[in-house]
Amino acid sequence: MFVKFCGLTRQEDADQAVRLGARMGGFIFHPRSPRGVLPAAAAALDTGPLLRVGVFVQQGAEEIKAVMAEARLDLAQLHGCQSVECALAVGPERVIRVLWPERYSHRALLYNDLRRHAEACAYYLLDAGLKGGGSGRRLEWLDLCRLRAPHPWLLAGGLGPDNVRAALNLCTPGGVDFNSGVEDAPGRKNADKMAAAVAAANPKGNGNMS
């Protein structure tokens, strides 16, 4: 089980993510998000060995690639309506494709979209709601039991130290994405909550991918 901390805006939170053995750190490039950062601000944050992920909602491929270069990003998390062609232009090996299971009336429809995007991403992220993210809402985890995706997938949606173990008892993602559930305020992580969340996600280890 690997860990991603999203919505990073402060060096102290990035440092804590590194200390806890997280695999990924996320920066949100959306001006309407309370956790949004500018590319230069993200570039200035030292994240050590973390894979640096940019969350993109409205941008097209050329803007995404420009921000990735300026902010020193490894991966682009496509959190909007970007097409398969956009993802291919960014580079499939650099894309996390976000899907919202609640949009689908039947699991077969979710599987269809997982397969449709498979050629144009390296990971999936499954989030709560019908769009956006960071709302603190949670998914119906049992609905994702035995989900077989073409690539590793991350579970998001209101996860924190108090509920991540319950989620992982019901479904088996490759990783978990923490954001609002480990914060004191948007963009201000709580170091103790971060540590407790990692311990709950990996009770016998740390947050690194095995």
Side-chain angles (χ1 to χ4, degrees):
M1 183 61 53
F2 68 93
V3 168
K4 173 176 176 277
F5 286 108
C6 198
L8 296 177
T9 65
R10 305 188 301 172
Q11 186 61 53
E12 62 201 83
D13 299 334
D15 291 342
Q16 176 69 339
V18 171
R19 281 192 294 268
L20 293 171
R23 174 70 170 170
M24 298 176 180
F27 306 97
I28 297 174
F29 300 103
H30 184 49
R32 293 171 59 185
S33 171
R35 303 172 183 88
V37 294
L38 294 174
L45 292 177
D46 180 5
T47 54
L50 297 182
L51 289 174
R52 296 167 63 88
V53 181
V55 175
F56 298 96
V57 178
Q58 297 175 331
Q59 299 92 332
E62 293 308 311
E63 185 177 356
I64 290 170
K65 289 191 288 184
V67 172
M68 290 184 76
E70 183 178 354
R72 304 186 291 110
L73 303 180
D74 301 294
L75 294 159
Q77 182 173 309
L78 302 187
H79 225 287
C81 58
Q82 292 96 344
S83 65
V84 168
E85 290 73 22
C86 172
L88 289 171
V90 172
E93 73 285 355
R94 301 200 297 169
V95 168
I96 300 173
R97 171 61 67 173
V98 179
L99 296 173
W100 295 267
E102 293 174 32
R103 286 185 175 185
Y104 305 94
S105 59
H106 192 279
R107 180 180 276 196
L109 299 176
L110 172 60
Y111 277 123
N112 287 343
D113 261 4
L114 289 169
R115 289 193 295 269
R116 184 169 67 88
H117 290 287
E119 66 171 325
C121 69
Y123 301 91
Y124 304 98
L125 184 145
L126 303 185
D127 205 351
L130 301 177
K131 63 179 181 178
S135 66
R137 292 184 56 194
R138 48 159 283 189
L139 281 166
E140 290 299 325
W141 303 314
L142 186 58
D143 291 346
L144 302 175
C145 177
R146 294 187 295 276
L147 179 68
R148 296 184 181 275
H151 301 299
W153 62 279
L154 290 83
L155 178 68
L159 295 176
D162 296 332
N163 64 9
V164 67
R165 179 42 46 191
L168 297 178
N169 287 337
L170 295 174
C171 63
T172 55
V176 288
D177 186 323
F178 295 113
N179 192 350
S180 60
V182 295
E183 289 182 331
D184 291 326
R188 299 180 64 85
K189 302 292 189 269
N190 178 298
D192 292 336
K193 290 180 181 178
M194 291 173 73
V198 171
N202 290 283
K204 295 181 181 179
N206 59 30
N208 284 312
M209 186 188 300
S210 59

